[in-house]
Amino acid sequence: MMKYEEEHYLYENIKDKIYPWVKESLVDHKALNGKYISDKDTPIVSFAGDLMVIFVIERDKGTYEILKDNMLPPDTDMELLYHTACENLARNVKFVIGHTLYGGFSIIADGYHEASSLCFKHIWSMCSEKLDDDIVIMVPTKDMVLFVPAGNQKQIEEMKAYGIQSFERSFDKVSTKLLRFTKEGKELTVYE
């Protein structure tokens, strides 16, 4: 019996519990099997810049397992898996916008999925419309997403300093690189 045929991994049983997690490196301290993630046996979708998306299965509230290739049928469509994971995220995780001490903004969710907010173009479209500017985004940790208007260089520098401190203190680091979401093109790219 193949792993994906086991009751615990039958796609019909796990498809509503699969979520996308945005990463830069293949390590996660909160997932059951996350300390040793290999790109050789883990489905990965390329994202913006050096970022990638891996998939996790929610086992119990607050317990996640990294989805491995052998847990999926061989004919699994990765694009469909990504869309399914994003649908689960939209249905089950509430994202809220918060304020930071330096005048920027943050995404608040549940401590596991904040970085996954990058998957939702509509969140960033709404933010750029409200701020009437492109936005610069930083995802220093899995549970922290920061953003400011692209036209405010002082806030960008303050966000970057705060994000780097958070990155250095965290076990579940994502990145110190900045991203830009363009108001007009509605595109997420590396900030230059």
Side-chain angles (χ1 to χ4, degrees), residues 20-23 47-48 51-53 82 86 89 95 107 113-124 135-141 144-147 174-175 177 179-181 188-189:
W21 277 1
V22 175
K23 305 295 247 167
F47 205 63
L51 298 178
M52 63 191 114
V53 172
Y82 176 76
C86 288
L89 190 62
F95 295 97
I107 298 291
H113 297 97
E114 281 79 357
S116 302
S117 66
L118 289 179
C119 298
F120 292 135
K121 193 180 278 190
H122 68 276
I123 289 176
W124 305 109
I135 51 179
V136 178
I137 305 166
M138 186 176 193
V139 187
T141 68
M144 181 181 291
V145 176
L146 307 168
F147 65 98
V174 176
S175 179
K177 296 177 184 143
L179 300 169
R180 177 185 211 116
F181 184 85
L188 186 66
T189 60

Side-chain angles (χ1 to χ4, degrees), residues 19-160:
Y19 295 94
W21 277 1
V22 175
K23 305 295 247 167
E24 187 175 68
S25 61
L26 294 173
V27 174
D28 195 281
H29 290 85
K30 292 183 182 173
L32 293 172
N33 57 344
K35 292 184 181 138
Y36 307 103
I37 306 170
S38 170
D39 60 355
K40 293 176 180 30
D41 67 354
T42 306
I44 296 172
V45 175
S46 292
F47 205 63
D50 294 335
L51 298 178
M52 63 191 114
V53 172
I54 63 170
F55 301 96
V56 296
I57 307 164
E58 184 176 24
R59 290 301 182 187
D60 293 314
K61 195 66 177 160
T63 305
Y64 294 89
E65 180 178 9
I66 304 295
L67 186 65
K68 302 290 187 171
D69 287 332
N70 63 356
M71 298 174 190
L72 293 169
D75 59 344
T76 300
D77 180 330
M78 291 308 295
E79 188 173 332
L80 183 60
L81 179 65
Y82 176 76
H83 288 296
T84 299
C86 288
E87 286 171 9
N88 294 338
L89 190 62
R91 182 179 58 251
N92 299 324
V93 178
K94 182 179 178 183
F95 295 97
V96 177
I97 304 208
H99 293 274
T100 64
L101 295 173
Y102 56 84
F105 304 93
S106 65
I107 298 291
I108 302 164
D110 59 4
Y112 297 96
H113 297 97
E114 281 79 357
S116 302
S117 66
L118 289 179
C119 298
F120 292 135
K121 193 180 278 190
H122 68 276
I123 289 176
W124 305 109
S125 293
M126 179 199 63
C127 291
S128 65
E129 289 297 322
K130 292 278 185 189
L131 295 172
D132 196 26
D133 198 350
D134 290 357
I135 51 179
V136 178
I137 305 166
M138 186 176 193
V139 187
T141 68
K142 180 168 75 175
D143 62 353
M144 181 181 291
V145 176
L146 307 168
F147 65 98
V148 295
N152 191 325
Q153 193 61 42
K154 181 177 186 262
Q155 282 185 339
I156 291 172
E157 293 305 317
E158 289 172 344
M159 175 182 72
K160 192 171 179 182

